[in-house]
Amino acid sequence: MRRIGRKLNGFAAKILDLPQDVVLDLPRMTLIGNIQLYIENHRGVVHFSNELLRLDLTRGQVEVHGQNLVIRAILPEEVFIEGIIHDIKYIL
């Protein structure tokens, strides 16, 4: 049933010309070089160290690997990190 709902939401997003990340509750990631990362639509921090950030998402998780990672700002659905970012993985 969820699959049908997601398809309907995707169809509505296309018809109404809405961003799919808003309609489907997908994460939006903005990477500036390899030193800043802004992630929207997360569901909480699972793990954080100066080399790894793992965030829970509606579907899956995202992992950010790097050096000297620092959370500059964190809000209920947004997180802003800085450091030297080596790798970003989306895990279902």
Side-chain angles (χ1 to χ4, degrees), residues 57-90:
L57 305 173
T58 303
R59 288 192 42 185
Q61 294 183 344
V62 66
E63 280 187 356
V64 180
H65 296 267
Q67 293 176 300
N68 304 320
L69 298 178
V70 177
I71 296 177
R72 289 291 177 205
I74 187 164
L75 298 169
E77 293 187 4
E78 303 169 14
V79 64
F80 178 65
I81 65 168
E82 288 184 338
I84 300 170
I85 298 166
H86 297 297
D87 189 28
I88 302 170
K89 292 182 184 177
Y90 187 82

Side-chain angles (χ1 to χ4, degrees), residues 42-58:
H42 73 89
R43 297 291 170 250
V45 176
V46 175
H47 175 81
F48 177 74
S49 70
N50 64 346
E51 295 179 347
L52 173 67
L53 169 67
R54 183 178 296 149
L55 295 173
D56 220 7
L57 305 173
T58 303

Side-chain angles (χ1 to χ4, degrees), residues 14-34:
K14 287 179 183 177
I15 294 294
L16 299 173
D17 198 26
L18 296 172
Q20 289 195 13
D21 62 313
V22 173
V23 176
L24 299 176
D25 202 22
L26 297 172
R28 175 182 293 250
M29 295 180 243
T30 305
L31 180 65
I32 301 170
N34 70 331

